Amino acid sequence: MASYLPIADDEKGYELDLFCVPRHYENDLEKVIIPHGLIMDRTERLARDIIQDMGGHHIVALCVLKGGYKFFADLLDYITALNQNSDKSVPLTVDFIRVKSYCNDKSTNSVKVIGGDELSSLSGKNVLIVEDIVETGRTMQTLLSLLSECNPKMVKVVSLLVKRTPRSSGYRPDYIGFEVPDAFLVGYALDYNEYFRDLSHICILNDQAKEKYKV
Ligand code: IMP
Ligand code: MG
C-alpha cells in the first residue's frame, strides 16, 4: 500500500507563470513543486486514513503552529465532513501549541514549545499531532516525549511533508502526505523567517531570496 506521495529529487516542478503567485514573491521562487490543488487532494485521503484508524474514540487534534495551520484547517475540514456523513462519528476537539526551532534556513538545536492547554487534558484521549514538515525529526521527537508524560490513550502524528535528507534522525510520522527533496520549501503556511505563509502553493525558494529575507 502506498503510504506517501514521493516527489523525486530531479522533479522539474512547474513554471511560476502557470499558476497564481503573489507579485511580491515573483522573483523569490525557483518553481512550484506542489500545487495547492494536489495538496488538497492528498489531504482528503489522509483524512480518510486517519478516521479509519483513530475514529473509535474522542480525537484531540493538536496543531503545531505556525507552519501547520493551513494543513490543520484543511485536514480538519475533511475529517469533519467524514464525521457528519457517516453512521459512526466521534467528537473532535482542537488544541494549539507553538514550536520554534528554525533561524534562516537552518534548524537550531533547541526546540521551544510554547502555549496550548495544560497537556494533562490529553490524558486518556486519542491525540493526533498535525505538523507541516519533518526534517531532522527533532521537533517531533521532543514533542512526543513531552506528550507521553500525560498518558494519552493513543498518539498519532500526521505530517504533510517529510524531507529526504541525511540530517534525518530516522523518525517517520504515522501519516505522510508527500516525501520531498532536500531543499528549503515555502508556501501553504511554511515560512522563511515568517515570509511566504501567504502563498498557496508549495514552492522552492531561490538563493537570492534566502539572502533578501535573512535575519
Ligand atoms: P525538524 O525538527 O528538523 O524535523 O524540523 C521541523 C520544523 O522545521 C518544521 O516544523 C518546520 O517548522 C521547520 N522546517 C523544516 N524544513 C523546512 C522547510 O523546508 N521550510 C520551512 N520550514 C521548515
Ligand atoms: Mg512546523
mmCIF file of all heavy atoms in Angstrom, residues 64-68 99-102 104-105 107-108 111 131-141 161 163 167 171 180-181 183-187 189-192 197, ligand 1:
data_model
loop_
_atom_site.group_PDB
_atom_site.id
_atom_site.type_symbol
_atom_site.label_atom_id
_atom_site.label_comp_id
_atom_site.label_asym_id
_atom_site.label_seq_id
_atom_site.Cartn_x
_atom_site.Cartn_y
_atom_site.Cartn_z
ATOM 1 N N VAL A 64 0.490 22.080 15.366
ATOM 2 C CA VAL A 64 1.808 22.618 15.669
ATOM 3 C C VAL A 64 1.992 23.907 14.854
ATOM 4 O O VAL A 64 2.155 23.878 13.638
ATOM 5 C CB VAL A 64 2.922 21.598 15.342
ATOM 6 C CG1 VAL A 64 4.284 22.150 15.769
ATOM 7 C CG2 VAL A 64 2.663 20.266 16.030
ATOM 8 N N LEU A 65 1.899 25.022 15.569
ATOM 9 C CA LEU A 65 1.976 26.339 14.930
ATOM 10 C C LEU A 65 3.422 26.751 14.706
ATOM 11 O O LEU A 65 4.291 26.226 15.368
ATOM 12 C CB LEU A 65 1.304 27.382 15.838
ATOM 13 C CG LEU A 65 -0.211 27.192 16.017
ATOM 14 C CD1 LEU A 65 -0.726 28.122 17.116
ATOM 15 C CD2 LEU A 65 -0.939 27.469 14.710
ATOM 16 N N LYS A 66 3.685 27.691 13.814
ATOM 17 C CA LYS A 66 2.688 28.297 12.957
ATOM 18 C C LYS A 66 2.544 27.522 11.659
ATOM 19 O O LYS A 66 1.512 27.573 11.009
ATOM 20 C CB LYS A 66 3.115 29.730 12.600
ATOM 21 C CG LYS A 66 3.192 30.689 13.747
ATOM 22 C CD LYS A 66 3.685 32.062 13.225
ATOM 23 C CE LYS A 66 3.898 33.052 14.308
ATOM 24 N NZ LYS A 66 4.483 34.323 13.784
ATOM 25 N N GLY A 67 3.596 26.811 11.269
ATOM 26 C CA GLY A 67 3.640 26.192 9.943
ATOM 27 C C GLY A 67 2.510 25.217 9.650
ATOM 28 O O GLY A 67 2.177 24.989 8.497
ATOM 29 N N GLY A 68 1.915 24.650 10.713
ATOM 30 C CA GLY A 68 0.894 23.633 10.472
ATOM 31 C C GLY A 68 -0.509 24.172 10.262
ATOM 32 O O GLY A 68 -1.428 23.403 10.016
ATOM 33 N N VAL A 99 5.868 25.785 18.337
ATOM 34 C CA VAL A 99 7.199 25.226 18.451
ATOM 35 C C VAL A 99 8.108 26.026 17.537
ATOM 36 O O VAL A 99 7.731 26.342 16.409
ATOM 37 C CB VAL A 99 7.186 23.750 17.992
ATOM 38 C CG1 VAL A 99 8.582 23.201 17.890
ATOM 39 C CG2 VAL A 99 6.373 22.900 18.942
ATOM 40 N N LYS A 100 9.264 26.395 18.055
ATOM 41 C CA LYS A 100 10.170 27.170 17.206
ATOM 42 C C LYS A 100 11.549 26.548 17.244
ATOM 43 O O LYS A 100 12.094 26.301 18.302
ATOM 44 C CB LYS A 100 10.231 28.619 17.682
ATOM 45 C CG LYS A 100 10.704 29.578 16.615
ATOM 46 C CD LYS A 100 10.339 31.003 17.002
ATOM 47 C CE LYS A 100 10.979 32.079 16.163
ATOM 48 N NZ LYS A 100 11.492 31.822 14.871
ATOM 49 N N SER A 101 12.099 26.249 16.066
ATOM 50 C CA SER A 101 13.431 25.635 16.038
ATOM 51 C C SER A 101 14.285 26.142 14.883
ATOM 52 O O SER A 101 15.417 25.729 14.729
ATOM 53 C CB SER A 101 13.291 24.111 15.928
ATOM 54 O OG SER A 101 12.668 23.791 14.709
ATOM 55 N N TYR A 102 13.719 27.053 14.083
ATOM 56 C CA TYR A 102 14.419 27.472 12.879
ATOM 57 C C TYR A 102 14.865 28.929 12.907
ATOM 58 O O TYR A 102 14.167 29.796 13.383
ATOM 59 C CB TYR A 102 13.516 27.284 11.648
ATOM 60 C CG TYR A 102 13.934 26.098 10.829
ATOM 61 C CD1 TYR A 102 13.861 24.824 11.356
ATOM 62 C CD2 TYR A 102 14.441 26.250 9.541
ATOM 63 C CE1 TYR A 102 14.262 23.730 10.625
ATOM 64 C CE2 TYR A 102 14.835 25.160 8.799
ATOM 65 C CZ TYR A 102 14.740 23.899 9.352
ATOM 66 O OH TYR A 102 15.142 22.821 8.617
ATOM 67 N N ASN A 104 16.689 31.440 9.821
ATOM 68 C CA ASN A 104 17.015 31.385 8.391
ATOM 69 C C ASN A 104 16.606 29.998 7.865
ATOM 70 O O ASN A 104 15.518 29.557 8.155
ATOM 71 C CB ASN A 104 18.483 31.717 8.138
ATOM 72 C CG ASN A 104 18.789 33.178 8.492
ATOM 73 O OD1 ASN A 104 17.959 34.050 8.267
ATOM 74 N ND2 ASN A 104 19.944 33.428 9.052
ATOM 75 N N ASP A 105 17.486 29.318 7.109
ATOM 76 C CA ASP A 105 17.055 28.012 6.611
ATOM 77 C C ASP A 105 17.695 26.866 7.384
ATOM 78 O O ASP A 105 17.797 25.756 6.913
ATOM 79 C CB ASP A 105 17.327 27.887 5.107
ATOM 80 C CG ASP A 105 18.806 28.004 4.774
ATOM 81 O OD1 ASP A 105 19.582 28.448 5.654
ATOM 82 O OD2 ASP A 105 19.194 27.659 3.652
ATOM 83 N N SER A 107 17.955 24.503 10.985
ATOM 84 C CA SER A 107 17.362 24.024 12.224
ATOM 85 C C SER A 107 18.347 24.357 13.347
ATOM 86 O O SER A 107 19.536 24.150 13.202
ATOM 87 C CB SER A 107 17.180 22.513 12.112
ATOM 88 O OG SER A 107 16.583 22.007 13.258
ATOM 89 N N THR A 108 17.839 24.903 14.464
ATOM 90 C CA THR A 108 18.722 25.143 15.599
ATOM 91 C C THR A 108 18.563 23.969 16.549
ATOM 92 O O THR A 108 17.626 23.198 16.433
ATOM 93 C CB THR A 108 18.358 26.451 16.327
ATOM 94 O OG1 THR A 108 17.025 26.321 16.806
ATOM 95 C CG2 THR A 108 18.450 27.649 15.402
ATOM 96 N N VAL A 111 14.631 23.195 20.722
ATOM 97 C CA VAL A 111 13.244 23.158 20.272
ATOM 98 C C VAL A 111 12.408 23.730 21.408
ATOM 99 O O VAL A 111 12.398 23.188 22.507
ATOM 100 C CB VAL A 111 12.816 21.709 19.966
ATOM 101 C CG1 VAL A 111 11.358 21.666 19.549
ATOM 102 C CG2 VAL A 111 13.691 21.114 18.880
ATOM 103 N N GLU A 131 1.438 18.366 11.807
ATOM 104 C CA GLU A 131 2.689 19.104 11.576
ATOM 105 C C GLU A 131 2.837 19.410 10.086
ATOM 106 O O GLU A 131 2.302 18.677 9.243
ATOM 107 C CB GLU A 131 3.830 18.216 12.110
ATOM 108 C CG GLU A 131 5.235 18.661 11.827
ATOM 109 C CD GLU A 131 5.636 19.931 12.527
ATOM 110 O OE1 GLU A 131 4.945 20.943 12.316
ATOM 111 O OE2 GLU A 131 6.658 19.937 13.239
ATOM 112 N N ASP A 132 3.549 20.463 9.748
ATOM 113 C CA ASP A 132 3.754 20.803 8.340
ATOM 114 C C ASP A 132 4.850 19.959 7.701
ATOM 115 O O ASP A 132 4.661 19.364 6.653
ATOM 116 C CB ASP A 132 4.065 22.306 8.162
ATOM 117 C CG ASP A 132 5.219 22.792 9.034
ATOM 118 O OD1 ASP A 132 5.724 22.021 9.891
ATOM 119 O OD2 ASP A 132 5.622 23.965 8.875
ATOM 120 N N ILE A 133 6.018 19.894 8.345
ATOM 121 C CA ILE A 133 7.152 19.202 7.703
ATOM 122 C C ILE A 133 8.080 18.605 8.754
ATOM 123 O O ILE A 133 8.328 19.223 9.783
ATOM 124 C CB ILE A 133 7.902 20.166 6.741
ATOM 125 C CG1 ILE A 133 9.042 19.451 6.009
ATOM 126 C CG2 ILE A 133 8.414 21.402 7.449
ATOM 127 C CD1 ILE A 133 9.573 20.227 4.815
ATOM 128 N N VAL A 134 8.552 17.414 8.479
ATOM 129 C CA VAL A 134 9.544 16.776 9.339
ATOM 130 C C VAL A 134 10.862 16.752 8.576
ATOM 131 O O VAL A 134 10.916 16.271 7.444
ATOM 132 C CB VAL A 134 9.120 15.336 9.714
ATOM 133 C CG1 VAL A 134 10.269 14.580 10.367
ATOM 134 C CG2 VAL A 134 7.905 15.358 10.624
ATOM 135 N N GLU A 135 11.894 17.311 9.190
ATOM 136 C CA GLU A 135 13.207 17.307 8.548
ATOM 137 C C GLU A 135 14.153 16.414 9.345
ATOM 138 O O GLU A 135 14.310 15.249 9.034
ATOM 139 C CB GLU A 135 13.737 18.735 8.420
ATOM 140 C CG GLU A 135 15.041 18.757 7.641
ATOM 141 C CD GLU A 135 15.574 20.151 7.377
ATOM 142 O OE1 GLU A 135 15.042 21.128 7.906
ATOM 143 O OE2 GLU A 135 16.563 20.246 6.635
ATOM 144 N N THR A 136 14.767 16.925 10.422
ATOM 145 C CA THR A 136 15.630 16.057 11.238
ATOM 146 C C THR A 136 14.775 15.115 12.086
ATOM 147 O O THR A 136 15.236 14.039 12.474
ATOM 148 C CB THR A 136 16.511 16.880 12.203
ATOM 149 O OG1 THR A 136 15.644 17.578 13.113
ATOM 150 C CG2 THR A 136 17.361 17.874 11.456
ATOM 151 N N GLY A 137 13.557 15.554 12.397
ATOM 152 C CA GLY A 137 12.673 14.769 13.258
ATOM 153 C C GLY A 137 12.782 15.183 14.717
ATOM 154 O O GLY A 137 12.066 14.688 15.585
ATOM 155 N N ARG A 138 13.674 16.133 14.984
ATOM 156 C CA ARG A 138 13.945 16.532 16.368
ATOM 157 C C ARG A 138 12.728 17.180 17.035
ATOM 158 O O ARG A 138 12.406 16.894 18.180
ATOM 159 C CB ARG A 138 15.126 17.506 16.381
ATOM 160 C CG ARG A 138 16.125 17.176 17.467
ATOM 161 C CD ARG A 138 17.280 18.170 17.480
ATOM 162 N NE ARG A 138 18.265 17.895 16.454
ATOM 163 C CZ ARG A 138 18.721 18.790 15.580
ATOM 164 N NH1 ARG A 138 18.262 20.028 15.577
ATOM 165 N NH2 ARG A 138 19.634 18.456 14.695
ATOM 166 N N THR A 139 12.044 18.055 16.293
ATOM 167 C CA THR A 139 10.870 18.737 16.845
ATOM 168 C C THR A 139 9.839 17.706 17.300
ATOM 169 O O THR A 139 9.319 17.771 18.417
ATOM 170 C CB THR A 139 10.229 19.645 15.771
ATOM 171 O OG1 THR A 139 11.216 20.547 15.304
ATOM 172 C CG2 THR A 139 9.055 20.414 16.320
ATOM 173 N N MET A 140 9.556 16.751 16.428
ATOM 174 C CA MET A 140 8.509 15.773 16.731
ATOM 175 C C MET A 140 8.928 14.862 17.859
ATOM 176 O O MET A 140 8.130 14.543 18.732
ATOM 177 C CB MET A 140 8.212 14.978 15.457
ATOM 178 C CG MET A 140 6.823 14.501 15.341
ATOM 179 S SD MET A 140 5.568 15.492 16.134
ATOM 180 C CE MET A 140 5.465 16.864 15.022
ATOM 181 N N GLN A 141 10.183 14.458 17.887
ATOM 182 C CA GLN A 141 10.636 13.577 18.960
ATOM 183 C C GLN A 141 10.563 14.279 20.316
ATOM 184 O O GLN A 141 10.176 13.675 21.313
ATOM 185 C CB GLN A 141 12.058 13.075 18.672
ATOM 186 C CG GLN A 141 12.045 11.989 17.596
ATOM 187 C CD GLN A 141 13.431 11.604 17.103
ATOM 188 O OE1 GLN A 141 14.290 12.458 16.889
ATOM 189 N NE2 GLN A 141 13.654 10.323 16.905
ATOM 190 N N LEU A 161 4.500 16.962 4.937
ATOM 191 C CA LEU A 161 5.738 16.711 4.203
ATOM 192 C C LEU A 161 6.774 16.021 5.080
ATOM 193 O O LEU A 161 6.823 16.261 6.283
ATOM 194 C CB LEU A 161 6.342 18.038 3.706
ATOM 195 C CG LEU A 161 5.424 19.017 2.971
ATOM 196 C CD1 LEU A 161 6.151 20.333 2.727
ATOM 197 C CD2 LEU A 161 4.944 18.425 1.649
ATOM 198 N N LYS A 163 11.022 15.422 4.615
ATOM 199 C CA LYS A 163 12.154 15.728 3.743
ATOM 200 C C LYS A 163 13.118 14.549 3.683
ATOM 201 O O LYS A 163 13.439 13.972 4.722
ATOM 202 C CB LYS A 163 12.867 16.964 4.304
ATOM 203 C CG LYS A 163 13.492 17.829 3.256
ATOM 204 C CD LYS A 163 14.177 19.044 3.868
ATOM 205 C CE LYS A 163 13.283 20.260 3.925
ATOM 206 N NZ LYS A 163 14.029 21.483 4.303
ATOM 207 N N ARG A 167 20.277 14.534 7.184
ATOM 208 C CA ARG A 167 20.179 15.055 8.553
ATOM 209 C C ARG A 167 19.068 14.391 9.369
ATOM 210 O O ARG A 167 18.913 14.650 10.548
ATOM 211 C CB ARG A 167 19.952 16.579 8.525
ATOM 212 C CG ARG A 167 21.123 17.353 7.943
ATOM 213 C CD ARG A 167 20.897 18.852 7.954
ATOM 214 N NE ARG A 167 19.729 19.256 7.186
ATOM 215 C CZ ARG A 167 19.658 19.274 5.853
ATOM 216 N NH1 ARG A 167 20.714 18.911 5.132
ATOM 217 N NH2 ARG A 167 18.567 19.647 5.235
ATOM 218 N N TYR A 171 13.364 9.272 12.279
ATOM 219 C CA TYR A 171 11.973 9.337 12.736
ATOM 220 C C TYR A 171 10.999 9.467 11.552
ATOM 221 O O TYR A 171 11.217 10.276 10.659
ATOM 222 C CB TYR A 171 11.785 10.529 13.700
ATOM 223 C CG TYR A 171 10.316 10.763 13.951
ATOM 224 C CD1 TYR A 171 9.607 9.921 14.790
ATOM 225 C CD2 TYR A 171 9.623 11.749 13.250
ATOM 226 C CE1 TYR A 171 8.247 10.073 14.951
ATOM 227 C CE2 TYR A 171 8.256 11.909 13.410
ATOM 228 C CZ TYR A 171 7.577 11.059 14.261
ATOM 229 O OH TYR A 171 6.237 11.193 14.396
ATOM 230 N N VAL A 180 9.595 14.812 0.150
ATOM 231 C CA VAL A 180 10.121 15.869 -0.725
ATOM 232 C C VAL A 180 11.651 15.909 -0.733
ATOM 233 O O VAL A 180 12.298 15.440 0.198
ATOM 234 C CB VAL A 180 9.564 17.256 -0.276
ATOM 235 C CG1 VAL A 180 8.065 17.338 -0.504
ATOM 236 C CG2 VAL A 180 9.898 17.557 1.175
ATOM 237 N N PRO A 181 12.231 16.478 -1.801
ATOM 238 C CA PRO A 181 13.692 16.597 -1.898
ATOM 239 C C PRO A 181 14.254 17.521 -0.809
ATOM 240 O O PRO A 181 13.524 18.297 -0.203
ATOM 241 C CB PRO A 181 13.911 17.231 -3.280
ATOM 242 C CG PRO A 181 12.635 17.094 -4.012
ATOM 243 C CD PRO A 181 11.554 16.989 -2.995
ATOM 244 N N ALA A 183 15.417 20.421 -0.110
ATOM 245 C CA ALA A 183 15.509 21.838 -0.487
ATOM 246 C C ALA A 183 14.681 22.615 0.518
ATOM 247 O O ALA A 183 13.880 22.015 1.248
ATOM 248 C CB ALA A 183 14.940 22.046 -1.887
ATOM 249 N N PHE A 184 14.872 23.933 0.581
ATOM 250 C CA PHE A 184 14.050 24.713 1.506
ATOM 251 C C PHE A 184 12.736 25.080 0.829
ATOM 252 O O PHE A 184 12.713 25.722 -0.216
ATOM 253 C CB PHE A 184 14.783 25.959 2.009
ATOM 254 C CG PHE A 184 14.153 26.462 3.272
ATOM 255 C CD1 PHE A 184 14.449 25.873 4.496
ATOM 256 C CD2 PHE A 184 13.224 27.489 3.242
ATOM 257 C CE1 PHE A 184 13.831 26.299 5.667
ATOM 258 C CE2 PHE A 184 12.597 27.919 4.407
ATOM 259 C CZ PHE A 184 12.905 27.321 5.627
ATOM 260 N N LEU A 185 11.636 24.642 1.424
ATOM 261 C CA LEU A 185 10.314 24.820 0.829
ATOM 262 C C LEU A 185 9.515 25.880 1.563
ATOM 263 O O LEU A 185 9.613 25.996 2.786
ATOM 264 C CB LEU A 185 9.542 23.495 0.866
ATOM 265 C CG LEU A 185 10.262 22.307 0.225
ATOM 266 C CD1 LEU A 185 9.444 21.043 0.404
ATOM 267 C CD2 LEU A 185 10.520 22.571 -1.242
ATOM 268 N N VAL A 186 8.727 26.625 0.821
ATOM 269 C CA VAL A 186 7.870 27.657 1.413
ATOM 270 C C VAL A 186 6.484 27.603 0.779
ATOM 271 O O VAL A 186 6.295 27.016 -0.287
ATOM 272 C CB VAL A 186 8.461 29.082 1.216
ATOM 273 C CG1 VAL A 186 9.745 29.261 2.012
ATOM 274 C CG2 VAL A 186 8.687 29.388 -0.267
ATOM 275 N N GLY A 187 5.534 28.253 1.449
ATOM 276 C CA GLY A 187 4.165 28.328 0.942
ATOM 277 C C GLY A 187 3.244 27.392 1.708
ATOM 278 O O GLY A 187 3.710 26.483 2.404
ATOM 279 N N ALA A 189 1.611 27.989 4.349
ATOM 280 C CA ALA A 189 1.976 28.237 5.760
ATOM 281 C C ALA A 189 3.419 27.909 6.124
ATOM 282 O O ALA A 189 3.873 28.233 7.220
ATOM 283 C CB ALA A 189 1.022 27.580 6.755
ATOM 284 N N LEU A 190 4.173 27.274 5.226
ATOM 285 C CA LEU A 190 5.600 27.088 5.523
ATOM 286 C C LEU A 190 6.309 28.405 5.234
ATOM 287 O O LEU A 190 6.089 29.010 4.182
ATOM 288 C CB LEU A 190 6.223 25.998 4.648
ATOM 289 C CG LEU A 190 5.961 24.561 5.081
ATOM 290 C CD1 LEU A 190 4.720 24.033 4.432
ATOM 291 C CD2 LEU A 190 7.147 23.692 4.737
ATOM 292 N N ASP A 191 7.174 28.817 6.147
ATOM 293 C CA ASP A 191 7.763 30.144 6.030
ATOM 294 C C ASP A 191 9.278 30.113 5.917
ATOM 295 O O ASP A 191 9.936 29.115 6.204
ATOM 296 C CB ASP A 191 7.424 30.980 7.260
ATOM 297 C CG ASP A 191 8.213 30.517 8.492
ATOM 298 O OD1 ASP A 191 8.177 29.303 8.791
ATOM 299 O OD2 ASP A 191 8.887 31.356 9.127
ATOM 300 N N TYR A 192 9.809 31.272 5.493
ATOM 301 C CA TYR A 192 11.229 31.550 5.641
ATOM 302 C C TYR A 192 11.274 32.859 6.416
ATOM 303 O O TYR A 192 10.851 33.901 5.890
ATOM 304 C CB TYR A 192 11.907 31.698 4.277
ATOM 305 C CG TYR A 192 13.388 32.029 4.366
ATOM 306 C CD1 TYR A 192 14.313 31.048 4.697
ATOM 307 C CD2 TYR A 192 13.851 33.321 4.133
ATOM 308 C CE1 TYR A 192 15.659 31.351 4.790
ATOM 309 C CE2 TYR A 192 15.206 33.622 4.220
ATOM 310 C CZ TYR A 192 16.105 32.634 4.548
ATOM 311 O OH TYR A 192 17.434 32.932 4.654
ATOM 312 N N ARG A 197 4.113 32.624 4.043
ATOM 313 C CA ARG A 197 2.945 31.878 4.509
ATOM 314 C C ARG A 197 1.744 32.248 3.634
ATOM 315 O O ARG A 197 0.799 31.499 3.495
ATOM 316 C CB ARG A 197 2.647 32.205 5.974
ATOM 317 C CG ARG A 197 3.776 31.801 6.923
ATOM 318 C CD ARG A 197 3.271 31.772 8.355
ATOM 319 N NE ARG A 197 4.350 31.861 9.335
ATOM 320 C CZ ARG A 197 5.022 30.825 9.829
ATOM 321 N NH1 ARG A 197 4.749 29.616 9.403
ATOM 322 N NH2 ARG A 197 5.970 31.000 10.724
HETATM 323 P P1 IMP B 1 12.899 19.171 12.376
HETATM 324 O O1 IMP B 1 12.834 19.359 13.874
HETATM 325 O O2 IMP B 1 14.287 19.274 11.839
HETATM 326 O O3 IMP B 1 12.211 17.902 11.925
HETATM 327 O O4 IMP B 1 12.201 20.399 11.718
HETATM 328 C C1 IMP B 1 10.875 20.556 11.736
HETATM 329 C C2 IMP B 1 10.457 22.015 11.678
HETATM 330 O O5 IMP B 1 11.391 22.845 10.966
HETATM 331 C C3 IMP B 1 9.186 22.112 10.907
HETATM 332 O O6 IMP B 1 8.091 22.053 11.777
HETATM 333 C C4 IMP B 1 9.291 23.439 10.208
HETATM 334 O O7 IMP B 1 8.714 24.426 11.003
HETATM 335 C C5 IMP B 1 10.753 23.685 10.036
HETATM 336 N N1 IMP B 1 11.208 23.352 8.649
HETATM 337 C C6 IMP B 1 11.979 22.303 8.267
HETATM 338 N N2 IMP B 1 12.226 22.314 6.937
HETATM 339 C C7 IMP B 1 11.570 23.376 6.440
HETATM 340 C C8 IMP B 1 11.412 23.925 5.095
HETATM 341 O O8 IMP B 1 11.905 23.410 4.074
HETATM 342 N N3 IMP B 1 10.649 25.049 5.009
HETATM 343 C C9 IMP B 1 10.067 25.638 6.096
HETATM 344 N N4 IMP B 1 10.186 25.173 7.353
HETATM 345 C C10 IMP B 1 10.932 24.052 7.533
#
